[in-house]
Amino acid sequence: MGQSKGPSIYNFKFWLLVLATILHSTSGLFEDQIGKFDWRQHYVGKLKFGGFDSSSLDRIIVATESNALAAISAKSGEILWRQLLEKSPRGDIKLLHIPGQANQGVQSGDGRSNRAFDVVTVTGVNPALVRGWNPNTGSLEWEWSLLPNSPEKAESAVWFAEQSSLYQVVPVWGSHIELTEYFVSTGQQSKPSTSRISAAWIKEDRCTLADKFFACAIDQQILVVDLLAENPQIISKQLETAASGSPKAVVGEAAVVQDGRMYSLTSDLKVALGAEGSVLVDEAILEGERVLLSGTVDRVRNEFRVTAKKLVDNSPFEAIEFVAEYPETLGSPELVAVRCKTTGGSGPRGSQLACRVLVSSEDGAITLLQQGKLKWTREEALADVETADFLDLTLSDAEGAIEEELNNKNGDVFGALQRRITSQISHVKNLVLHVLGLGPAPSKAQKAGLVRDDFGLHKMLVVVTSSGKVFGIDNISGKQHWTRYLPEMTGFANGQSMKLLVQRTSRFYPLSAQCLILGRHRTTKNGLLYQFNPITGQPVNGGTIQLPYQIRQASLLHETGPDFLRGILLLDDNNQAHVLPESLAKYANNFYMFSADRETATIQGSHVEFRNGKLNTVPTWTVNLSGAGRTQQIIAIEGKNPIEHVHSQGRVLADRSVLYKYINPNLIAVATHGPDNIHKYILNVHLLDVVSGSIVFSMSHKRIRPPLQMVHSENWLVYSYYNDKVRRTEVTSVELYEGKTQTNSTVWSSLDAPTMPLVERQSYVLPVAVATMQETLTEKGITNKHILFGLTSGAVVEMSWALLDPRRPVTSPEKAREEGIIPYMPELPMPHEIIINYNQTIANIKGIVTAPSGLESTCLVFVHGLDIFVTRVAPSKTFDLLKEDFDYFLISVVLILLTTTSYVVKVFASKKAIKQAWK
């Protein structure tokens, strides 16, 4: 019997293994659709530090302003690994030390050889975190922290590494410099006390750290002190003119750059540079010489010239000089790192030098130049998106011909017949030429595939970044069709981003679409406009327009001109109204605007009138929301999406009566936050009519802290916040109703003093932290509304409005059950199937943009942060679209049989009728 149990146990284990394999294969959700309707692109952000890894020829280590540490392939520019550090200010990278740079590595203080090749970073101030990273995998090897004695002084601390030591330099402006030495891998102090170096000449924003030297540009000289010398002495470098700004350190060499000249801190060498040049000393020894590289840009020829000089005698080093192509879409360059190697050759020229140059552009792009050629470019500006929008593509040539044919405004029947016959002849001609291979060349839009599809799912995604770079991206493939760089444009004050306004869509054939980017000039702070075609990226009417005034508020006009172009109404800092183009000023008559001051929590309304060919602005109302103690400040203002449609005007109750929605298009939600003597913090939310200035509804939340995210749509408002009392994230939903009778079913007017709405509100608990929120949009508003939550974990959650409904009853009465309302539960569920980006995590989510498609059921979604992600959602399922597994063969067979049967039955029925007639 003991032998008979063996085979059964083995069979049991075998079938158990088979069952586990089957279960594992079914663990994916919609696995066949992964990446079919969505795509994601990874970025690291604008470069802050960077260099080539000495242990690998194909690896570049970079640290960015987005608090990311990453390794990039030198061959392809792809991200090999990436580590996201803490948010600012704790995650601000102060130092990146790559082993092998400057001919030195970081040696371990405890004798472990494996730590000699770690990449070292220093982040934050209070505390300062020192970490060692494995350059091959990006994994964290070791870490230690440092709490400063004086956090105020440590804010300006700088760091540098020397052999096995890490030095912290804390300048006390106008007094002295404090120098502390630590073992790099353990954090133990090498010396029992901190060294104090007397330096009464140091000034803030005038100094920098170059290698082990602390240098300041004071008047017409550069004052330098060697921090590691036994008796530090002040070294002076005379300048030709008074210094402007602070000097810039040269990587890998004890030298600084000031006003276009490089000054060596260990010798009397001075090297003149171009005004646009950046410098870097090659970390390797080239034929026994240390070489200085500098670069200049020729914007006329779009070339980047790299020159080299020997540091010994300032003579040219032509072996590594080259001229490379530099596109006009890239900003001013800065040399970051250089690696050269000797390539062997048996020809008459023998061995040659081949260099790779890492360049960081002002717009955020990272470029690698190799042997005088642009090898690859990473558009890291997309890691900091400010605003975006989906635009309809143009019609194809065939559809455009149909539009031209149907363009019969005068009612000319014979003209329409002539156009129809001509069109048919042209179609037959094109068909014959296409078969023979002699057809006309397709347009540029058709070559690029930028034509409108049947369902309106293919669109152009226009993205505006904080660096002033604009992209036209295909929402289907993620391809960048065009790029424009606006170096003089920046966002507005108080953290307000640049605005993207659509003046005309591509629906008005043959007129092309037109968009406008609204910002301000970097230097003058006056308004700056850029008009362009969103499909091709080409500027319109010269593109850039500089305004002689600062912009306080801007809005699109409701009416369009004769060419279907919507004007822009601008309000300057003197409350004077302007319209661009000026020919559309008459459409601004009887227009209401509002402006808000975040610091004083004051909102002011204005009425714009057009009389006698001039625009006049009349202040109409002012509301102060700062509270009795004047401590409240505005932290968020949210209006309704101007393109949304409200399909249902009411809500059917269980008794078959209708509860009409309070749909006020002039309603905005204003959130104010401030300290309180009793409750620590108070959050106030006000619903304000911006035409009449009346406050429709207000409510307060005690002991609430930001971040606050809001979504305002139709007759409801949803916002999330952090409850400091119970330490959790909560969501509050508010719904407004007029009641059982509607005040005016045709036209809404804020000046008619409508009745105050009925308010339903409810709060829920979210088990996650929210980074941003947005609602879904569809073309007609028939589809149910869902709320998209962008979480700090990188997931995007699609939550049904039924879960956030404020009318969810605490109990479950029969009426609520008949209406289909879910009973109230304080915790909102978070099942994995509502995460629309499944395992495609999006780092540091900042915003979500939604847009309707041609299908009523489908909404297009763009999520941006450090990564960008595009997908589509169907809140009410794809009720207007056949499924992918639809059996077309079966339905065709059934239709053919039904059609054949109907004809056969028709014949028999006619015969039967004849027979009955003869009886």
Side-chain angles (χ1 to χ4, degrees), residues 613-784:
K614 294 183 179 180
L615 290 171
N616 299 319
T617 305
V618 180
T620 53
W621 55 266
T622 301
V623 175
N624 193 317
L625 302 177
S626 60
R630 298 294 188 265
T631 58
Q632 295 280 313
Q633 294 184 353
I634 297 176
I635 60 174
I637 298 178
E638 193 69 28
K640 299 180 181 180
N641 197 317
I643 66 172
E644 78 168 357
H645 291 82
V646 182
H647 181 261
S648 177
Q649 296 291 325
R651 185 168 182 170
V652 180
L653 303 181
D655 57 357
R656 298 302 181 265
S657 62
V658 177
L659 186 62
Y660 289 99
K661 299 177 182 179
Y662 181 82
I663 302 175
N664 185 350
N666 306 318
L667 201 66
I668 64 170
V670 183
T672 62
H673 185 266
D676 185 75
N677 296 329
I678 300 176
H679 305 290
K680 291 186 178 181
Y681 309 101
I682 289 184
L683 172 69
N684 295 322
V685 178
H686 309 275
L687 294 177
L688 181 67
D689 192 310
V690 295
V691 172
S692 62
S694 61
I695 297 178
V696 177
F697 179 71
S698 296
M699 52 188 165
S700 297
H701 302 270
K702 301 176 179 61
R703 294 193 67 176
I704 298 301
R705 291 191 303 166
L708 175 75
Q709 308 296 336
M710 303 178 68
V711 171
H712 191 194
S713 177
E714 293 192 3
N715 68 318
W716 51 263
L717 172 70
V718 176
Y719 56 96
S720 66
Y721 49 85
Y722 182 78
N723 192 325
D724 196 35
K725 182 178 180 180
V726 291
R727 298 182 180 181
R728 67 190 182 192
T729 301
E730 296 180 354
V731 176
T732 296
S733 60
V734 180
E735 255 188 326
L736 308 178
Y737 293 97
E738 289 191 54
K740 296 296 184 67
T741 59
Q742 201 170 12
T743 304
N744 193 329
S745 59
T746 56
V747 178
W748 174 273
S749 177
S750 297
L751 302 178
D752 290 342
T755 58
M756 299 303 288
L758 306 175
V759 180
E760 299 281 352
R761 52 180 170 171
Q762 194 63 269
S763 295
Y764 301 92
V765 178
L766 268 178
V768 291
V770 180
T772 184
M773 293 169 57
Q774 190 60 271
E775 84 276 17
T776 59
L777 285 176
T778 54
E779 191 171 15
K780 301 297 182 182
I782 302 174
T783 307
N784 294 332

Side-chain angles (χ1 to χ4, degrees), residues 527-586:
L528 190 64
L529 306 178
Y530 179 73
Q531 296 176 328
F532 64 101
N533 185 331
I535 309 303
T536 62
Q538 296 298 322
V540 177
N541 298 329
T544 304
I545 301 176
Q546 296 189 14
L547 303 177
Y549 49 83
Q550 296 185 6
I551 300 175
R552 187 178 182 183
Q553 185 61 281
S555 177
L556 278 170
L557 297 180
H558 301 314
E559 299 182 32
T560 62
D563 55 353
F564 303 101
L565 187 71
R566 299 178 67 181
I568 307 296
L569 177 60
L570 303 176
L571 194 67
D572 61 15
D573 49 355
N574 295 323
N575 281 343
Q576 294 296 322
H578 309 270
V579 173
L580 294 176
E582 297 180 358
S583 59
L584 302 179
K586 60 181 180 180

Side-chain angles (χ1 to χ4, degrees), residues 9 80 166 178 278 312 366 371 452 472 668 722 860 876 896:
I9 294 176
L80 302 177
L166 184 67
E178 298 179 357
S278 300
V312 177
I366 303 176
Q371 296 181 349
R452 194 181 307 172
I668 64 170
Y722 182 78
L860 305 179
S876 300
I896 292 173

Side-chain angles (χ1 to χ4, degrees), residues 427-582:
H427 288 169
V428 175
K429 177 183 175 181
N430 292 335
L431 177 61
V432 175
L433 293 177
H434 178 74
V435 173
L436 299 177
L438 303 175
S443 61
K444 293 182 178 180
Q446 284 187 324
K447 288 181 180 179
L450 297 179
V451 292
R452 194 181 307 172
D453 59 332
D454 295 334
F455 297 138
L457 298 172
H458 190 191
K459 295 195 176 187
M460 177 66 75
L461 177 60
V462 179
V463 178
V464 182
T465 64
S466 61
S467 63
K469 207 161 191 179
V470 189
F471 297 88
I473 304 177
D474 195 317
N475 76 314
I476 299 296
S477 61
K479 179 182 177 182
Q480 299 174 10
H481 288 285
W482 56 264
T483 305
R484 291 292 180 271
Y485 179 45
L486 311 174
E488 298 179 345
M489 184 173 288
T490 185
F492 297 95
N494 298 326
Q496 292 292 311
S497 61
M498 291 178 281
K499 307 301 178 184
L500 175 62
L501 304 175
V502 182
Q503 293 184 278
R504 184 174 57 212
T505 65
S506 59
R507 297 186 177 183
F508 304 101
Y509 186 87
L511 298 174
S512 60
Q514 182 173 327
C515 289
L516 180 142
I517 298 176
L518 182 63
R520 65 173 179 170
H521 200 277
R522 289 185 181 272
T523 55
T524 64
K525 307 303 180 183
N526 288 338
L528 190 64
L529 306 178
Y530 179 73
Q531 296 176 328
F532 64 101
N533 185 331
I535 309 303
T536 62
Q538 296 298 322
V540 177
N541 298 329
T544 304
I545 301 176
Q546 296 189 14
L547 303 177
Y549 49 83
Q550 296 185 6
I551 300 175
R552 187 178 182 183
Q553 185 61 281
S555 177
L556 278 170
L557 297 180
H558 301 314
E559 299 182 32
T560 62
D563 55 353
F564 303 101
L565 187 71
R566 299 178 67 181
I568 307 296
L569 177 60
L570 303 176
L571 194 67
D572 61 15
D573 49 355
N574 295 323
N575 281 343
Q576 294 296 322
H578 309 270
V579 173
L580 294 176
E582 297 180 358

